[in-house]
């Protein structure tokens, strides 16, 4: 399994006025993002909760990649979140709702909601995951995503 972190912060806020040639050409940074998403076999979304939803930069990225052609369609995905209480869960469920329109296929289990603000510490000062139990649970999410991806591709 190869994992590539795709940065979404360079993307401009979605604005169809930035499109050219009748919506067939996007700004260069969006074109590159489209290519990366298009080449991926599946996706692992990680987002904190903002007002019962996903982080605005993630929603912006989702919207850009859904512009024709929708490069999310018919691909497998999983979601993980870290936050306080059940906020991350709310974000996950909202992302699942968005994924319905995008034709994304999310794994159902296992789910991973990390309660980041309760001891013991789950992350170090640099944001690296240090909790062994959470690492194992994340591994199980990734293995499930891999298996589901191969099944959707007709490889198992």
């Amino acid at each position: 399994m190869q994992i590539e972190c795709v940065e979404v912060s360079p993307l401009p806020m979605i604005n169809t006025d930035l499109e050219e040639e009748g919506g067939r050409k996007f700004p260069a940074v969006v074109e590159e993002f489209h290519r990366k998403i298009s080449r991926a076999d599946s996706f692992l979304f990680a987002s904190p909760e903002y007002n019962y939803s996903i982080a605005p930069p993630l929603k912006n990225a989702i919207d850009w990649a859904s512009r024709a052609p929708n490069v999310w369609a018919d691909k497998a995905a999983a979601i993980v979140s870290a936050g306080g209480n059940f906020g991350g869960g709310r974000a996950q469920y909202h992302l699942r709702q968005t994924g319905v329109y995008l034709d994304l296929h999310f794994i159902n289990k296992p789910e991973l909601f990390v309660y980041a603000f309760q001891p013991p510490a789950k992350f170090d000062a640099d944001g690296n995951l240090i909790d062994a139990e959470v690492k194992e649970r994340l591994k199980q999410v990734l293995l499930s995503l891999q298996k589901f991806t191969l099944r959707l591709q007709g490889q198992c």
Side-chain angles (χ1 to χ4, degrees), residues 28-46:
V29 67
V30 174
E31 291 280 355
E32 179 58 23
F33 181 71
H34 243 250
R35 278 191 290 279
K36 286 181 179 182
I37 299 303
S38 181
R39 288 191 308 253
D41 292 320
S42 59
F43 309 100
L44 175 66
F45 291 98

Side-chain angles (χ1 to χ4, degrees), residues 129-140:
L129 181 60
I130 58 172
D131 183 280
E133 179 187 342
V134 175
K135 282 183 177 184
E136 179 58 32
R137 292 174 54 211
L138 178 58
K139 177 182 173 183
Q140 295 308 312

Side-chain angles (χ1 to χ4, degrees), residues 41-42 146-156:
D41 292 320
S42 59
Q146 181 184 42
K147 183 177 178 182
F148 188 54
T149 300
L150 293 172
R151 192 172 92 204
L152 282 179
Q153 293 174 340
Q155 296 183 41
C156 73

Side-chain angles (χ1 to χ4, degrees), residues 20-145:
E20 299 174 10
E21 299 176 19
R24 292 187 308 271
K25 186 171 187 273
F26 306 111
V29 67
V30 174
E31 291 280 355
E32 179 58 23
F33 181 71
H34 243 250
R35 278 191 290 279
K36 286 181 179 182
I37 299 303
S38 181
R39 288 191 308 253
D41 292 320
S42 59
F43 309 100
L44 175 66
F45 291 98
S47 178
E49 175 260 345
Y50 284 85
N51 298 320
Y52 290 5
S53 188
I54 58 177
L58 176 56
K59 179 64 166 88
N60 185 56
I62 288 168
D63 291 344
W64 270 121
S66 72
R67 301 292 293 154
N70 172 16
V71 292
W72 302 112
D74 294 323
K75 294 190 179 182
I79 312 168
V80 298
S81 60
N85 251 340
F86 195 64
R90 290 182 177 118
Q92 285 194 29
Y93 291 130
H94 195 204
L95 181 53
R96 283 179 178 274
Q97 291 171 332
T98 302
V100 169
Y101 180 78
L102 301 172
D103 292 323
L104 272 168
H105 306 288
F106 289 102
I107 64 169
N108 292 321
K109 294 177 185 160
E111 293 180 305
L112 179 54
F113 311 98
V114 179
Y115 298 106
F117 307 113
Q118 296 175 347
K122 310 292 190 278
F123 302 92
D124 67 15
D126 295 322
N128 298 306
L129 181 60
I130 58 172
D131 183 280
E133 179 187 342
V134 175
K135 282 183 177 184
E136 179 58 32
R137 292 174 54 211
L138 178 58
K139 177 182 173 183
Q140 295 308 312
V141 169
L142 290 170
L143 290 172
S144 179
L145 176 59

